[in-house]
Amino acid sequence: MTETRETSRSPEFRLAQGALGGLRKDLFHNAFAYRPLLPSPPDGRLLRRLPERIRGRMAWAPHAAVAVCAFFVFLIGAAVADGSAPPLMVVYAFLPAVIVLLTLVRPVLAFWASLASTPFLAYMGESGDGWPWAPNSFAAHVVVLTVVAARTRPRTAAWMWVLTCGYAVFAEFFLGIGYSTDAPQLLFFAALALLVVTVLQVRRQAEEQVTAQQTVTAHERSRRTLLEERTTIARELHDVVAHHMSVVAIQAEAAPYRVENPPPELEQAFVTIRENAVAALTELRRVLGVVRAEDYEAPDAPQPTLADLEGLVANVRDAGLDVEKTVTGAVRELPQGVELSAYRIIQEALSNVLRHAPGAAAKVEVSYVLGGLGLRIVNGPARGLVKASPGAGHGITGMRERVTMLSGEMTAEPTEDGGYEVTAFIPVTREGTEQ
């Protein structure tokens, strides 16, 4: 029954119901709530442009501006009430100023206090002072509307102007006693002030949303880049491990035929080895095969190793990069995953030099040490008239992923002469070397 009644209501009724609900929420619910105006953040758009020594003091600039407005409202009231009885002068001059200061701690209450005190201040003034707003309450109400609108939402500003307009109409027709009205002037200045504040608020909210969206987009882009690099690494490792498992299965199947009259135990051992290798290969393809794209094709040739490094250097030299390769230590065969990752790191580093530092010279150092493999790729600053091409940020991320996967360490940072240096160390245990 309730759902039928809700759906049968017209859109106009629901719109009016929502508007009245917004009025109740903005100006009636918790109207006396204590909401002190906090100092401006030091990293705000305006304060961060100021010198450090005055940035802390300028954080209280909004409070000082409200206090200055309250002082001017007091001066207006004191000038108008000059010659009146002291009690009357105190109430007439101080009350609007106090209401302006009230916006710093209880903004919604300050609006209601300003609206409620308007007729009393108008009756306390002279007949030529204005109706339904006295000069000081005129200025105070405009200031209160502006400050409260700046501290709330645009919908609240609209409701405050509507209520002010409603009071102006009521005072003009039911409370006026031959006074000349100043309601149009106040409504015009109030609408102008509220419009400026609302535009600034909407712009600020839009900038905050754009900043938040850019942050989310950057995070998602970084995350997508990381996933793409991990997918690429998983594909290559799949090909490497699958190749080794296939070799194990084939050798286990062919081994009994290389021995004359092998004992049954040896034949059964090779059969077991082959069955386990085939089962592991099937499981490997089932698990790691999901990372392949639909259009991905396994390479026909084996994955590159450090033995193919000379060909890589020759290719980049043909592309115009002056590169020098140095190999130190006792060259030995390393696990294929280590060799592949080292090759890819050098390849990506040299590609970055071609993209981001055209005309620069590069050095590639490969160090075979006792505990693993050291890599160092360094280039000088860009030279010539060719502009650097922007990259997608995949290079450094991919290199870090490869090094992290192998429990290594990597640094990538600019050099003092304007170039760039990438260093990596990949640990290799003696057991891994023997394998």
Side-chain angles (χ1 to χ4, degrees):
M1 180 67 68
T2 304
E3 295 180 358
T4 304
R5 184 179 303 172
E6 291 291 336
T7 55
S8 62
R9 292 174 177 175
S10 63
E12 293 79 6
F13 178 82
R14 290 196 295 269
L15 182 62
Q17 187 180 27
L20 293 177
L23 171 63
R24 182 176 64 254
K25 181 179 180 181
D26 293 339
L27 295 178
F28 289 94
H29 184 66
N30 291 333
F32 297 92
Y34 178 70
R35 296 174 51 197
L37 179 62
L38 301 178
S40 301
D43 57 346
R45 184 176 59 180
L46 297 178
L47 292 185
R48 64 182 174 213
R49 301 177 182 177
L50 300 177
E52 186 69 26
R53 64 178 184 276
I54 64 173
R55 191 177 300 175
R57 300 177 183 177
M58 292 302 295
W60 298 94
H63 303 74
V66 174
V68 170
C69 291
F71 179 70
F72 278 109
V73 169
F74 168 76
L75 292 180
I76 294 173
V80 173
D82 188 21
S84 302
L88 181 64
M89 180 179 177
V90 170
V91 174
Y92 189 82
F94 272 96
L95 182 59
V98 172
I99 293 175
V100 171
L101 293 176
L102 186 62
T103 59
L104 295 175
V105 290
R106 302 183 189 274
V108 178
L109 177 60
F111 165 72
W112 287 115
S114 177
L115 198 62
S117 63
T118 297
F120 299 100
L121 293 173
Y123 278 120
M124 292 171 62
E126 299 293 336
S127 59
D129 291 343
W131 177 265
W133 277 275
N136 56 341
S137 63
F138 186 104
H141 196 66
V142 173
V143 173
V144 168
L145 289 177
T146 304
V147 176
V148 176
R151 298 198 57 196
T152 54
R153 63 182 73 182
R155 185 179 66 182
T156 306
W159 276 120
M160 289 190 300
W161 189 88
V162 169
L163 291 175
T164 301
C165 184
Y167 166 74
V169 173
F170 174 79
E172 185 68 25
F173 286 98
F174 296 98
L175 301 180
I177 311 177
Y179 294 133
S180 59
T181 179
D182 56 1
Q185 294 90 329
L186 182 131
L187 294 177
F188 171 76
F189 285 110
L192 185 62
L194 294 179
L195 179 62
V196 172
V197 172
T198 301
V199 169
L200 293 177
Q201 280 187 328
V202 171
R203 180 180 178 182
R204 182 184 61 189
Q205 293 174 0
E207 291 178 351
E208 292 176 354
Q209 292 177 358
V210 170
T211 302
Q213 187 62 36
Q214 289 177 346
T215 303
V216 173
T217 302
H219 176 72
E220 290 297 329
R221 186 185 299 112
S222 175
R223 188 169 180 268
R224 184 173 64 251
T225 300
L226 184 63
L227 292 177
E228 290 176 356
E229 289 302 321
R230 289 182 177 179
T231 300
T232 302
I233 296 172
R235 290 173 183 170
E236 294 178 348
L237 289 180
H238 174 274
D239 298 331
V240 170
V241 177
H243 170 73
H244 284 294
M245 296 300 296
S246 299
V247 172
V248 170
I250 293 173
Q251 289 181 346
E253 185 177 7
Y257 300 100
R258 298 180 179 179
V259 180
E260 185 177 357
N261 298 324
E265 295 81 3
L266 181 61
E267 291 184 354
Q268 183 60 38
F270 281 122
V271 169
T272 303
I273 292 174
R274 182 182 182 280
E275 291 177 351
N276 290 334
V278 172
L281 184 60
T282 302
E283 189 66 24
L284 177 67
R285 287 172 176 168
R286 180 182 304 152
V287 176
L288 295 183
V290 298
V291 303
R292 295 186 183 273
E294 294 181 359
D295 57 348
Y296 176 78
E297 296 181 0
D300 297 332
Q303 293 288 355
T305 63
L306 290 176
D308 305 311
L309 192 58
E310 191 62 41
L312 173 63
V313 172
N315 288 336
V316 294
R317 282 174 180 165
D318 294 339
L321 178 62
D322 183 13
V323 56
E324 177 185 349
K325 187 191 73 169
T326 304
V327 179
T328 60
V331 179
R332 63 186 185 276
E333 184 178 355
L334 301 175
Q336 191 167 358
V338 174
E339 298 239 357
L340 173 61
S341 295
Y343 180 91
R344 294 302 189 197
I345 290 172
I346 298 174
Q347 183 183 40
E348 186 60 41
L350 294 178
S351 299
N352 287 341
V353 177
L354 288 172
R355 285 195 299 265
H356 304 297
K363 293 182 180 180
V364 177
E365 298 179 3
V366 181
S367 302
Y368 290 86
V369 295
L370 184 61
L373 180 68
L375 303 174
R376 180 175 180 266
I377 306 94
V378 59
N379 64 272
R383 301 180 185 276
L385 301 178
V386 181
K387 295 183 178 180
S389 60
H394 291 58
I396 300 298
T397 302
M399 288 188 281
R400 290 191 187 279
E401 281 298 304
R402 293 181 183 277
V403 174
T404 302
M405 177 189 64
L406 298 172
S407 302
E409 298 179 356
M410 172 183 159
T411 60
E413 56 188 4
T415 59
E416 295 181 356
D417 61 352
Y420 205 81
E421 181 181 19
V422 175
T423 60
F425 176 76
I426 303 175
V428 180
T429 59
R430 183 177 299 274
E431 291 78 4
T433 305
E434 292 174 356
Q435 292 176 354

